[in-house]
Amino acid sequence: MTRPWRIAVVGSGPRGLAVTERLVARLTEQPGDRPVELHLIDAVEVGCGRIYRTDQPEWFLMNTPVGLISAFSGAQDDGPARAGAGPTFDQWWSARLPGHPGPEGYAPRAVYGRYLGFALDAIEAHLPAHVRLTRLRAAVTDLEPRGGGYRLTTAGGGRLDADRVVLVTGHAGPAPAERTERELLDFAADRPGLGWIRGDSPAEMSLDAIPAGAAVGVLGLGLSFYDVMAALTVGRGGRFTEDADGELVYRPGGAEPVLLAGSRSGLPLLAKGDNNRPPGYSFKPVLFTPDRVRSRAAGPVLDFTADVLPWLTAEIDLVYYATALRHSHGPGAAEEFTAEVVLAGGAGLPDVRTIAARHGVAGMPPIDLEALARPFAGRTFAGPEEFDRTLAALLRGSVREAERGNTRSPLMAALDVIRDTRWVMRECVDFGGLDPASHREAFLGSFVPVSSVLVAGPPPVRLRQALALMAAGVLRVVGPEVRIAADPVLGRFTVSSPRVAGSGTPVDHVVDARVPVPDLGRDPAELTRNLRGRGLWTEFVNRDAQHAFRTGGVAVTTAPFHPVDCTGLPDTGLYVLGVPTENTRWFTQVGFGRPGPWGDYVRDADAIAAHALSGVRPGEELPARATPAYQ
């Protein structure tokens, strides 16, 4: 009797599903005689995971247009949906559910979770005869090498033995509180009526505990801020309507609190530009390429500021001015400008702005990423009213520009370059591609937060809603460098900005809307602690002769991403993909593949699938005392 080859995928969010899809696609394309068992395991909801769980409220939105998402590695064809061929998110929604917003619209995360569930159902419905897929809802708490394979233990005491294990555990929960936060938590615990909600997925936060009319401080102005904002307004019965000028007006439901929000920059993430590109469009950089970056570098290890950023800036400028020329002088003028820039780039880094001036766009303000993302740097405000007016004008400008879209707005087209060339950036920075100091300070400390504000934002409607809430007095952004402090005299928290005079305001509840930063050493999950304790997971330390930067990410090899154990060697039966490896690799939190040619998301999943199946060999006999698949 031939023993089944058993693969466990721990974590069934989008990346875990992508690995499963590629495993089944490969098993379908290359049928064999040996039975294969796939075990897909998730603690919350098998198929979509915690972040896209289908029971969460529909006011939690994704920030990627529906038309740019697919759970299948190949296009839909005349056959049934199955591994390797299936409908995009847009095709599925338009055919099966009401409320489809069109390919440029944005979906509730719960609806995407339903699509992921559909994809898993389709994969399972068309398994090859020798393949079995088992879904297991359980929290894996331990993993230990055992007899050439691995034994997984779950929270209920169950055990599963597997030949290969793919760890795609996703976003961690809140880490243990550090001293300052612990003191504030203790302050709240000692005073009835005060509350502190720690950072997590907004769908997991106990926001219902906040009473109507309460003053609530919100830490952070990123994507989770917008989710919290929606939950405490629309989720409390409020609604938005349009006035005669098309501006949103907030109609209170009566149960909402008052929100006082802030962050280090004081600027909410700006609106993502509407996507006007044709289906299947793929941006191809002409200046910011790995070869060009390395051609001018002094050595194999790069300095971000000297070697990488200049080429990215040149590509951004090229697209910015070419888009403007296309609309002002026609496609021919844009093509001539681009050709001259590319020719100049053959001899080194081209001066794109000087070339643009010769082509008739000298009057356009140059793009300054830092200034766009940090408009309040070095500024002070006489009071909350002055800051409110300044912020509202910035947000209205962001909405106007975003609604022009990424083909009509030169600025939106240029900022899309940052998103479209993430694969180039990853080739430059992943696996210690940058020197440690540059990695920590110039890249993660400066560029990443700036780029997040500019290109990782929500759809424009979220900013329009924020403006309506500001006008209704339900939301106030306190200002930059926000501070939360305990006031023992008042018995309340205070939220304030040192840059905005008179901004200090007492609040009764605080919501930490900052996404927990991946950090192997502080991850509270029992599985993570045990993997570290057994030496199977180690932290990637980017080091040179002068510096050692502890990144917080799991140390892994290049594809297929084996973890590097405490002996410095890869464990070739394990694979780690996604958020736990952040900072070893960059921008691992993406939760979808795109229709059309494969990008890194699908290629990564396929590399793991190919290697995990390489051990399948017919003829291996089942041991006399076989271990059941799950005990």
Side-chain angles (χ1 to χ4, degrees):
M1 177 177 169
T2 302
R3 182 178 73 82
W5 184 256
R6 195 173 294 148
I7 301 171
V9 180
V10 181
S12 77
R15 282 192 183 268
L17 182 64
V19 172
T20 304
E21 195 258 5
R22 288 310 306 157
L23 284 166
V24 175
R26 281 183 167 272
L27 287 164
T28 303
E29 295 161 1
Q30 302 168 2
D33 298 324
R34 184 174 182 178
V36 175
E37 294 180 1
L38 306 177
H39 294 261
L40 188 57
I41 309 168
D42 199 277
V44 176
E45 186 171 353
V46 179
C48 60
R50 180 170 76 105
I51 301 302
Y52 298 103
R53 54 193 292 179
T54 57
D55 62 349
Q56 64 186 295
E58 295 205 349
W59 49 74
F60 295 136
L61 295 181
M62 300 180 72
N63 71 326
T64 297
V66 170
L68 298 181
I69 298 171
S70 182
F72 294 92
S73 57
Q76 183 173 244
D77 57 20
D78 293 335
R82 61 200 185 279
T88 65
F89 186 22
D90 177 52
Q91 292 168 333
W92 172 84
W93 191 353
S94 64
R96 290 170 175 82
L97 289 180
H100 177 244
E104 311 313 328
Y106 292 81
R109 287 201 281 272
V111 174
Y112 181 47
R114 293 174 67 179
Y115 168 64
L116 294 173
F118 158 80
L120 179 56
D121 289 344
I123 292 165
E124 187 173 17
H126 297 89
L127 293 173
H130 67 299
V131 179
R132 184 161 65 94
L133 191 153
T134 299
R135 309 183 192 202
L136 177 61
R137 182 177 175 183
V140 176
T141 57
D142 199 5
L143 180 153
E144 58 179 317
R146 189 180 180 90
Y150 306 89
R151 170 160 287 183
L152 284 73
T153 303
T154 65
R159 297 189 300 274
L160 171 69
D161 287 350
D163 298 286
R164 298 286 184 266
V165 180
V166 187
L167 296 159
V168 204
T169 50
H171 290 276
E178 294 185 324
R179 184 176 63 84
T180 300
E181 185 184 19
R182 190 167 56 248
E183 290 172 354
L184 293 169
L185 285 165
D186 291 344
F187 181 80
D190 292 340
R191 291 163 176 80
L194 296 191
W196 184 287
I197 298 176
R198 303 193 66 212
D200 200 352
S201 168
E204 309 288 325
M205 292 179 175
S206 53
L207 298 174
D208 289 345
I210 298 173
V216 179
V218 183
L219 275 172
L221 293 171
L223 290 174
S224 290
F225 155 72
Y226 288 104
D227 286 337
V228 169
M229 178 188 83
L232 294 176
T233 55
V234 176
R236 296 295 182 94
R239 59 192 179 91
F240 294 94
T241 61
E242 286 192 354
D243 64 16
D245 298 322
E247 297 297 326
L248 288 187
V249 177
Y250 182 65
R251 309 295 182 188
E256 52 273 288
V258 176
L259 307 180
L260 296 109
S263 68
R264 184 169 53 184
S265 72
L267 181 68
L269 292 192
L270 298 178
K272 181 173 288 186
D274 287 347
N275 181 47
N276 309 132
R277 294 165 169 175
Y281 174 85
S282 179
F283 177 80
K284 294 179 175 57
V286 296
L287 296 176
F288 184 44
T289 67
D291 287 345
R292 286 185 185 269
V293 169
R294 297 193 183 283
S295 70
R296 293 184 72 244
V301 178
L302 303 173
D303 179 284
F304 181 76
T305 303
D307 299 324
V308 182
L309 187 58
W311 286 104
L312 172 62
T313 301
E315 189 80 48
I316 289 170
D317 285 344
L318 172 60
V319 171
Y320 178 61
Y321 293 115
T323 303
L325 281 167
R326 187 174 299 111
H327 289 287
S328 62
H329 294 75
E335 290 168 7
E336 289 178 10
F337 163 66
T338 300
E340 184 175 342
V341 170
V342 172
L343 181 63
L349 184 70
D351 185 344
V352 180
R353 294 175 184 179
T354 298
I355 297 171
R358 292 201 297 267
H359 283 259
V361 284
M364 289 183 64
I367 288 182
D368 183 333
L369 299 179
E370 183 75 24
L372 288 171
R374 302 284 185 261
F376 308 130
R379 298 181 62 181
T380 58
F381 298 86
E385 296 79 9
E386 181 186 356
F387 180 75
D388 289 351
R389 288 193 301 272
T390 305
L391 176 63
L394 276 169
L395 297 184
R396 283 192 291 268
S398 174
V399 170
R400 284 194 301 270
E401 205 67 27
E403 290 180 342
R404 291 180 64 192
N406 58 6
T407 61
R408 293 186 291 271
S409 163
L411 179 60
M412 291 294 101
L415 293 179
D416 260 12
V417 170
I418 300 173
R419 185 181 305 109
D420 291 333
T421 59
R422 280 176 180 148
W423 69 271
V424 181
M425 190 67 74
R426 282 192 285 264
E427 289 207 19
C428 295
V429 309
D430 286 0
F431 307 108
L434 298 176
D435 73 70
S438 179
H439 187 187
R440 181 182 61 245
E441 296 160 14
F443 182 63
L444 294 175
S446 179
F447 173 77
V448 169
V450 163
S451 66
S452 294
V453 170
L454 299 177
V455 305
V461 66
R462 282 299 201 217
L463 271 72
R464 297 181 67 209
Q465 291 172 347
L467 285 163
L469 291 170
M470 290 167 64
V474 176
L475 167 67
R476 177 160 69 85
V477 177
V478 177
E481 299 177 18
V482 69
R483 298 172 181 174
I484 300 283
D487 188 325
V489 175
L490 292 176
R492 305 174 75 186
F493 297 112
T494 58
V495 56
S496 63
S497 166
R499 300 292 189 89
V500 181
S503 61
T505 307
V507 297
D508 302 305
H509 295 263
V510 175
V511 177
D512 190 343
R514 298 169 298 184
V515 176
V517 176
D519 186 341
L520 178 62
R522 302 188 69 236
D523 187 333
E526 187 174 356
L527 175 60
T528 302
R529 294 200 308 270
N530 285 328
L531 288 166
R532 289 181 61 224
R534 295 184 185 281
L536 297 173
W537 274 14
T538 60
E539 182 179 8
F540 173 58
V541 180
N542 188 358
R543 65 174 78 244
D544 61 15
Q546 288 79 38
H547 303 91
F549 170 39
R550 304 186 69 87
T551 66
V554 177
V556 293
T557 66
T558 57
F561 316 114
H562 301 302
V564 178
D565 67 19
C566 60
T567 70
L569 298 175
D571 189 321
T572 56
L574 298 178
Y575 315 86
V576 189
L577 189 62
V579 175
T581 67
E582 184 68 19
N583 296 339
T584 305
R585 309 177 68 202
W586 178 59
F587 208 77
T588 58
Q589 63 267 38
V590 62
F592 55 88
R594 292 200 175 205
W598 287 5
D600 289 345
Y601 182 88
V602 178
R603 281 195 295 266
D604 289 353
D606 186 64
I608 290 174
H611 191 275
L613 292 172
S614 65
V616 178
R617 295 289 184 270
E620 183 177 342
E621 294 303 311
L622 189 68
R625 307 183 94 184
T627 304
Y630 186 66
Q631 298 177 323

